[in-house]
Amino acid sequence: MNTNEKKSLLHNDGFQTLLASLICIALGLLVGYIVLICINPSEANAAMIAILKNFLYFPRPEVALEYFGSTLVKTAPLLMCTLSVLFAYKVGLFNIGASGQYTVGAGLALYLALAWQMPWYVCLIAAMIGGGLLGAAVGALKAYRNVNEVIASIMFNWISLYTINTLLTKVKESSTTYTGALRTNNPSAIIPSLGLSSLFSGNRYVTIAIPLAILFAILVWFVMSKTKLGYELKATGFNKNAAKYAGMKEKKNIILTMFISGCLAGLGAGFLYLSGIEQWTCAQTSVPGMGFNGIAAAFLGGLHPIGSILSAFFIQHVTSGGSYVNKMVYASQISDLILAIIIYFCSFVFIFKHLMNRRIQERLTMANAKRGGE
Amino acid sequence: MSLLIQYTLIYASVLFLVALGGCFSEHSGVINLGLEGVMVMGALGGALVMKYMSGLAALPMMIMVVLGSIVFGMIFSLFLAIAAINFKADQTLVGTAMNMLATAAATVFVKALNMMHDPNNVSSTIQYIKQKKAISVHLGGFELNWFMVIAILALAASVVILYRTRFGLRLMACGEHPQAADSVGINVYKMRYAGVLISGLLGGLGGIAYITAGVSEWKFENGVAGFGFLALAVMIFGQWKPVNIALAALLFGLLRALSNVYTGFHGLVALGLPSTLYNMLPYIISLLVLAIASTNSRAPKAEGIPYDKGQR
């Protein structure tokens, strides 16, 4: 039979996902562009180009390279949050609490670094465990008390924010609301660069966190698709009762999933704050957006760990690009708006793929019918 | 003490309105996690009316503010309705996208407006000090507002509509067993649209009630600080029943009010607890409450499942 036709590019699941994601991005950018035009038609082009160019905004290549490094530094935590959301989603749980777990990770990492002068790896592990435990708490509530994980996560997001703000107030600079800078207070808490920074015009925030995050993406892919644990977790996600019937401990699996998911988000926070690029604002009144952007990246990446690497970079690219728009005309939140629209369209991906497959199927049957008539 | 009661009533009416919105949506079978976003949009609609129709007298002002927030809330809830009902999208994902969308869109929009009037004003704040007077009612020593009256009316109306009218019973049937409802000639899609639109209406009202509670300007960058989700917790605690939701809203309203006014109570101040604890209190209690209330959940059976005519 016509095997060639069946294996055509359009039929390939990976290609469909990529196509769907690209359409989402195009639609998101289009709507964003329309919004820009509505606000001020004469500046819209420049603003859109600024968002899309991000670090290329700087004409000198070495400066652009340095800012490219900064975008990558922020991509690493976003990738971790993406993996966190993705991992939970594969098991049928929606981890909207990645932001809260990220907050706890940031809090513990910075507190250990500044108050107890711990080296970077201890801080990183603490961030991981802290995020993981918060995730496990959500998982336990879900497994034993049937609490909707989305609502529980949101509550934990706010509780973590207030707790971490209180905790980090103890190690903040006396004159500002920022936590003390790691470089002056405890250089040993900064993740080593191992020469990576020289690749990015000496951008000192570029550390091994970036390759580590990519390693974690590969690790998540490996665990999900090649191990017994991944299989069990996915089975629990598909059908809790069937998994139970097959002898899997479904409650343990839910908690374990949320623990791992939380660990990933916590590590992400460690990757950002232990690079020294940002200090925590103790007067922060909103939960960090990293976890929410992680949701966007996870779905845009077609819920695949390797796809997430690309989508996380794209989303960070657009988010960073938002800061280059002309602030006298537009708000930098325009990039948040574009991302939100992209996520909204991502929810249509399923139906889009469904329609595409049906078209292909119809064409195939028609071709077959013709052949039969010959 | 009177301040505590006042704030409790204000916050309770906000939570009740929004939770009731969630209740209608879920009874029709659609989980509205975008209530937070609906609130932001409703707040924006009402705030814009107050900003641009500041010349109105008290009563027309009140009516226009309510209309503005309702229209914005309902239009925004269409985002959920179209995606979840027509396109069978993942309702959690759509809700999350809506929450992000509402805050980002409101911020971008308000900043653009502010900059248009005054190029140096890059804030996302709308002020309504004078206009707010139209909404508040002075009764004895209390400063109450019209949204409490609306909340009480909404309670009465929802009890009648849900349990005493053909529409309400059909709506609930669509959330329990849509296939069965369809088999007796109820248009499930239409009913779900109605449920989501009602949640947009009530959520939008809740949004404007929230941003006029105790403050006279609002910074749209902050959204509504998780209040939409608190309302969902109230709804679950109230077991999807209007009267129980009202009682739950009173409890949560009290907790939320405490964080505003606890400094006025010598006993509480003497405890020496950090102020952040009072900020966290509603969220902590709601977790506890959810842990207790969720095991024997009376949630609509078919909520969150897209309706597919061909499915058995």
Side-chain angles (χ1 to χ4, degrees):
Chain A
M1 239 190 73
N2 45 356
T3 38
N4 289 340
E5 217 170 321
K6 254 193 175 168
K7 287 268 189 299
S8 78
L9 202 54
L10 273 177
H11 213 126
N12 181 303
D13 189 55
F15 181 77
Q16 282 184 358
T17 311
L18 183 69
L19 192 64
S21 298
L22 288 177
I23 292 176
C24 289
I25 291 176
L27 285 172
L29 291 176
L30 179 70
V31 178
Y33 186 62
I34 294 171
V35 172
L36 288 175
I37 290 178
C38 291
I39 295 173
N40 187 336
S42 60
E43 296 269 345
N45 278 327
M48 203 66 208
I49 289 167
I51 291 171
L52 290 178
K53 273 174 102 175
N54 182 15
F55 52 85
L56 296 171
Y57 174 83
F58 301 97
R60 281 173 54 208
E62 59 273 25
V63 183
L65 194 62
E66 192 183 338
Y67 279 87
F68 176 51
S70 295
T71 302
L72 285 184
V73 170
K74 290 183 183 164
T75 303
L78 178 59
L79 177 55
M80 297 306 288
C81 287
T82 308
L83 294 173
S84 163
V85 173
L86 177 147
F87 192 84
Y89 198 80
K90 289 274 181 193
V91 192
L93 297 162
F94 198 89
N95 185 14
I96 203 173
S99 281
Q101 293 139 18
Y102 178 86
T103 306
V104 169
L108 289 181
L110 287 173
Y111 189 76
L112 287 186
L114 294 166
W116 295 353
Q117 301 288 316
M118 288 290 176
W120 63 277
Y121 46 88
V122 176
C123 301
L124 211 51
I125 290 170
M128 182 176 93
I129 303 289
L133 288 178
L134 188 66
V138 174
L141 281 171
K142 170 88 180 177
Y144 290 105
R145 309 300 307 181
N146 191 27
V147 178
N148 181 322
E149 80 273 14
V150 174
I151 297 172
S153 296
I154 294 284
M155 301 299 152
F156 273 125
N157 281 354
W158 290 97
I159 295 172
S160 338
L161 178 72
Y162 287 121
T163 316
I164 294 305
N165 273 346
T166 317
L167 179 72
L168 289 183
T169 306
K170 293 179 183 151
V171 292
K172 76 177 182 69
E173 289 169 338
S174 49
S175 54
T176 66
T177 56
Y178 292 104
T179 51
L182 289 181
R183 216 161 281 278
T184 50
N185 289 308
N186 179 10
S188 72
I190 291 179
I191 301 173
S193 157
L194 296 184
L196 281 178
S197 64
S198 59
L199 293 178
F200 295 93
S201 315
N203 184 332
R204 56 183 186 174
Y205 305 118
V206 177
T207 62
I208 56 166
I210 297 165
L212 272 180
I214 293 174
L215 272 183
F216 270 104
I218 296 166
L219 188 69
V220 165
W221 170 78
F222 182 78
V223 169
M224 285 322 280
S225 46
K226 302 284 171 205
T227 63
K228 178 171 163 250
L229 174 74
Y231 184 83
E232 270 203 21
L233 293 184
K234 277 193 289 190
T236 312
F238 277 130
N239 191 334
K240 205 167 71 173
N241 297 325
K244 191 177 174 185
Y245 182 70
M248 300 172 191
K249 296 197 169 57
E250 91 289 1
K251 291 198 162 99
K252 191 204 83 184
N253 283 350
I254 289 177
I255 299 173
L256 184 65
T257 303
M258 286 307 290
F259 177 74
I260 296 174
S261 178
C263 281
L264 291 168
L267 263 178
F271 283 170
L272 183 73
Y273 289 96
L274 296 175
S275 72
I277 194 168
E278 259 180 39
Q279 291 151 284
W280 184 267
T281 325
C282 299
Q284 206 155 312
T285 51
S286 58
V287 183
M290 204 60 98
F292 298 112
N293 287 352
I295 298 172
F299 283 92
L300 192 58
L303 292 168
H304 192 284
I306 309 303
S308 310
I309 301 177
L310 297 176
S311 62
F313 175 75
F314 173 78
I315 285 186
Q316 191 53 48
H317 184 77
V318 171
T319 310
S320 300
S323 54
Y324 296 114
V325 298
N326 184 352
K327 298 256 181 11
M328 297 315 291
V329 189
Y330 300 116
S332 58
Q333 278 85 354
I334 188 76
S335 47
D336 293 347
L337 182 68
I338 292 173
L339 291 184
I341 295 165
I342 291 177
I343 311 185
Y344 181 72
F345 283 122
C346 276
S347 60
F348 291 86
V349 163
F350 173 73
I351 193 99
F352 169 78
K353 276 177 150 181
H354 178 75
L355 286 178
M356 202 148 77
N357 282 332
R358 208 171 64 184
R359 278 285 290 279
I360 294 168
Q361 209 58 49
E362 270 170 12
R363 211 180 298 160
L364 265 181
T365 38
M366 262 169 67
N368 287 344
K370 249 186 207 162
R371 192 160 299 127
E374 275 168 10
Chain B
M1 196 65 202
S2 71
L3 211 56
L4 181 66
I5 295 173
Q6 185 181 314
Y7 275 112
T8 301
L9 289 176
I10 292 177
Y11 287 128
S13 54
V14 176
L15 284 171
F16 173 72
L17 285 170
V18 182
L20 194 64
C23 168
F24 269 95
S25 173
E26 297 215 351
H27 272 311
S28 78
V30 182
I31 300 181
N32 191 350
L33 281 174
L35 273 176
E36 180 106 351
V38 171
M39 279 180 80
V40 172
M41 277 297 158
L44 179 67
L48 286 178
V49 168
M50 289 195 280
K51 188 176 164 79
Y52 287 106
M53 300 187 183
S54 53
L56 290 178
L59 187 65
M61 168 73 101
M62 179 63 209
I63 293 169
M64 288 313 289
V65 166
V66 165
L67 279 180
S69 58
I70 285 178
V71 168
F72 269 58
M74 286 176 85
I75 290 175
F76 192 64
S77 69
L78 279 177
F79 276 89
L80 174 67
I82 292 168
I85 302 169
N86 297 110
F87 289 95
K88 304 184 174 57
D90 182 323
Q91 297 173 6
T92 315
L93 182 61
V94 177
T96 310
M98 283 169 70
N99 293 336
M100 294 172 71
L101 186 63
T103 310
T107 310
V108 168
F109 185 65
V110 174
K111 277 193 176 177
L113 276 185
N114 282 344
M115 280 189 269
M116 215 157 65
H117 290 288
D118 172 11
N120 294 320
N121 183 1
V122 290
S123 75
S124 60
T125 308
I126 294 184
Q127 286 188 337
Y128 35 83
I129 303 165
K130 187 168 66 74
Q131 296 90 319
K132 213 191 107 180
K133 293 205 176 84
I135 291 159
S136 45
V137 192
H138 289 271
L139 199 75
F142 290 107
E143 191 198 330
L144 302 176
N145 68 33
W146 283 109
F147 295 115
M148 293 170 198
V149 182
I150 294 177
I152 292 166
L153 290 177
L155 172 61
S158 61
V159 171
V160 174
I161 290 173
L162 274 183
Y163 302 114
R164 292 278 179 275
T165 66
R166 193 194 304 205
F167 168 76
L169 292 168
R170 286 183 171 182
L171 186 86
M172 291 206 284
C174 292
E176 293 294 336
H177 201 316
Q179 282 81 8
D182 201 355
S183 74
V184 291
I186 301 171
N187 187 335
V188 178
Y189 297 110
K190 241 186 216 168
M191 280 297 159
R192 291 197 165 177
Y193 257 92
V196 173
L197 282 175
I198 293 173
S199 81
L201 186 159
L202 292 167
L205 265 180
I208 187 65
Y210 181 59
I211 68 160
T212 48
V215 289
S216 41
E217 59 171 41
W218 194 256
K219 194 177 169 195
F220 279 90
E221 253 175 289
N222 288 343
V224 288
F227 231 70
F229 286 98
L230 269 184
L232 284 176
V234 165
M235 176 195 74
I236 294 171
F237 190 35
Q239 294 287 304
W240 292 265
K241 291 177 191 130
V243 177
N244 299 22
I245 291 175
L247 296 174
L250 276 175
L251 170 71
F252 276 74
L254 173 71
L255 292 171
R256 178 63 182 76
L258 264 184
S259 72
N260 276 33
V261 298
Y262 80 97
T263 42
F265 293 89
H266 295 298
L268 289 177
V269 175
L271 288 174
L273 297 169
S275 66
T276 45
L277 188 70
Y278 292 97
N279 287 328
M280 282 190 265
L281 208 55
Y283 306 109
I284 296 174
I285 302 290
S286 69
L287 272 178
L288 293 177
V289 157
L290 287 175
I292 296 164
S294 298
T295 34
N296 293 321
S297 174
R298 303 272 303 134
K301 292 253 166 15
E303 67 167 16
I305 307 164
Y307 176 57
D308 185 349
K309 265 193 175 181
Q311 208 177 36
R312 283 155 202 281

